[in-house]
Amino acid sequence: MTDLSTGSLPDEYTQLAKTVRDFARTVVAPVAAQHDRDHTFPYEVVRGMADMGLFGLPFPEEYGGMGGDYFALCLALEELGKVDQSVAITLEAGVSLGAMPVYRFGTEAQKQEWLPRLTSGRALGAFGLTEPGAGSDAGGTRTTAVRDGDSWVINGSKQFITNSGTDITELVTVTAVTGRDASGKAQISSILVPTNTPGFEAGPAYDKVGWNASDTHPLTFTDVRVPAENLLGEEGRGYAGFLRILDEGRIAIAALAVGAAQGCVDESVKYAREREAFGTAIGRNQAIAFKIARMEARAYAARTAYYDAAALMLAGKPFKKEAAIAKLVASEAAMDNARDATQIHGGYGFMNEYAVARHYRDSKILEIGEGTTEVQLMLIARQVGL
């Protein structure tokens, strides 16, 4: 199994992390607050990530990718997450939810048509799973796709869909009920829907608590007609396929969360060294020093968890439990560290001009998206035999 021990990564991973870290500090960080304040999508940053090949990191070169692996993506997400979670989730969703389903389950024709655009970052893909009545209970999908000759006709709605309404969004993969089995249980399939298809509509962007520079919309499908060959994978196996995508995505979200947790540590250390109270730097007080020490411990433990899950995944071994653990501990570390960092900064931590304030607003969704904390606990309990 690939050695992904913290502190002893192979050179290619170390160099990638450094390159993305430099990009995050010099390109992402200077504009993050403005995009967050204005609720604008950072097209110039996305173009920069595209030029670096980040959207193609885990894909083969034959499809326009960089020939790397999923752990390389995770390292990039961690570095981006330190300074701007909105940018990090744009990359994560573009790769894990946009391009990866096509790569994992698509026909060769589908891969040739879509992957070069998606892996280049010149186009974004999204995955339409969540509905008003089907979130954690994705099996409660109400969107339907009916076969009509050589076409599928889709009707329904989705909500909270990332990367679904940008100027460069070209594809949404939609889960829809395509039939019923003998017991009457819904058979859910995945279908590729180009965003220029008549009847497809992205509603107004959400007014969110955080991730304000990330693109998120509700979607409606009104008699959306696509060719029958746009079925992704086997008919009736769309939900099962997406569960695998979610398992992988939890490792990626954990990496993003670790970045957020570490970003809070870094900002707090800097502030504690510079801020003086009662004639001394506040970092010399044990109350502050110990709080930051616990923050560092949380980030380290969460990083170790996602490294372990990624190593199992790359080795082709079962990793469902480890991915759930990584997502659980990393998302909680990010939220706990954001709260502590805000406290350390005092009144300044409540001002949006400080990065920790943005982390405080951004981090909560990490305990909800791509499987809530409760879902992770359920999965872990099942994996230990309960």
Side-chain angles (χ1 to χ4, degrees):
M1 189 166 68
T2 304
D3 181 13
L4 300 183
S5 304
T6 55
S8 61
L9 293 178
D11 288 344
E12 62 270 24
Y13 291 135
T14 302
Q15 288 302 313
L16 170 66
K18 181 182 183 302
T19 299
V20 179
R21 187 181 311 125
D22 291 343
F23 175 81
R25 290 173 177 172
T26 60
V27 177
V28 182
V31 299
Q34 185 70 45
H35 281 297
D36 175 74
R37 183 164 51 250
D38 295 343
H39 292 219
T40 50
F41 188 73
Y43 287 101
E44 74 283 10
V45 173
V46 172
R47 283 193 295 271
M49 292 194 294
D51 291 341
M52 293 172 66
L54 298 188
F55 287 93
L57 275 175
F59 301 105
E61 294 178 8
E62 64 183 294
Y63 299 120
M66 298 294 289
D69 56 33
Y70 208 86
F71 183 65
L73 170 67
C74 289
L75 290 176
L77 291 171
E78 180 178 347
E79 295 300 333
L80 293 169
K82 291 177 182 178
V83 301
D84 191 344
Q85 292 186 44
S86 288
V87 166
I89 195 59
T90 298
L91 176 62
E92 192 279 336
V95 174
S96 180
L97 302 179
M100 192 60 71
V102 179
Y103 176 64
R104 294 289 188 214
F105 309 116
T107 64
E108 187 59 30
Q110 289 170 340
K111 293 177 184 178
Q112 293 291 345
E113 179 180 3
W114 289 109
L115 285 181
R117 293 283 295 162
L118 298 176
T119 60
S120 71
R122 303 305 175 187
L124 288 176
F127 203 105
L129 175 73
T130 303
E131 298 184 4
S136 297
D137 179 21
T141 298
R142 294 291 178 266
T143 297
T144 62
V146 177
R147 186 67 181 265
D148 181 21
D150 293 332
S151 301
W152 291 103
V153 180
I154 305 170
N155 283 280
S157 62
K158 302 290 180 178
Q159 67 178 10
F160 310 144
I161 309 304
T162 305
N163 291 349
S164 59
T166 75
D167 293 344
I168 58 173
T169 301
E170 295 186 4
L171 177 70
V172 177
T173 302
V174 180
T175 52
V177 176
T178 52
R180 302 277 173 178
D181 62 18
S183 66
K185 182 179 179 181
Q187 294 178 317
I188 299 175
S189 304
S190 294
I191 300 174
L192 302 174
V193 179
T195 56
N196 61 0
T197 306
F200 170 88
E201 182 180 0
Y206 292 103
D207 183 9
K208 298 171 292 185
V209 170
W211 284 6
N212 288 327
S214 166
D215 178 84
T216 319
H217 295 262
L219 306 177
T220 57
F221 304 84
T222 306
D223 292 331
V224 171
R225 183 178 292 269
V226 298
E229 57 264 27
N230 281 27
L231 179 72
L232 184 66
E234 297 179 34
E235 185 175 345
R237 296 288 297 169
Y239 181 49
F242 191 66
L243 289 179
R244 174 179 173 178
I245 295 297
L246 280 179
D247 285 339
E248 297 176 357
R250 286 175 183 130
I251 303 176
I253 291 294
L256 191 164
V258 167
Q262 190 65 56
C264 288
V265 174
D266 297 345
E267 291 294 327
S268 296
V269 169
K270 178 182 176 182
Y271 186 79
R273 286 173 173 169
E274 297 174 350
R275 171 67 168 167
E276 291 190 357
F278 304 103
T280 186
I282 64 172
R284 296 180 64 85
N285 298 321
Q286 281 191 343
I288 300 298
F290 284 6
K291 191 181 290 290
I292 294 175
R294 287 190 180 278
M295 292 167 63
E296 175 69 10
R298 291 187 195 116
Y300 182 90
R303 182 179 297 107
T304 301
Y306 99 70
Y307 275 31
D308 180 60
L312 290 171
M313 176 185 169
L314 295 184
K317 297 181 178 181
F319 64 94
K320 181 183 288 290
K321 180 182 73 173
E322 290 76 12
I325 290 173
K327 204 273 186 181
L328 172 70
V329 300
S331 60
E332 290 187 342
M335 192 68 244
D336 289 345
N337 279 14
R339 183 184 61 250
D340 284 350
T342 301
Q343 189 72 21
I344 289 167
H345 281 68
Y348 292 110
F350 204 61
M351 301 297 114
N352 279 324
E353 64 186 278
Y354 281 78
V356 296
R358 193 167 67 250
H359 276 307
Y360 189 77
R361 289 185 287 105
D362 286 349
S363 292
K364 183 56 193 174
I365 190 61
L366 294 168
E367 297 181 312
I368 299 172
E370 292 207 36
T372 64
T373 294
E374 292 74 20
V375 166
Q376 307 316 309
L377 292 170
M378 178 185 69
L379 290 171
I380 295 165
R382 287 177 179 174
Q383 290 297 308
V384 299
L386 299 176

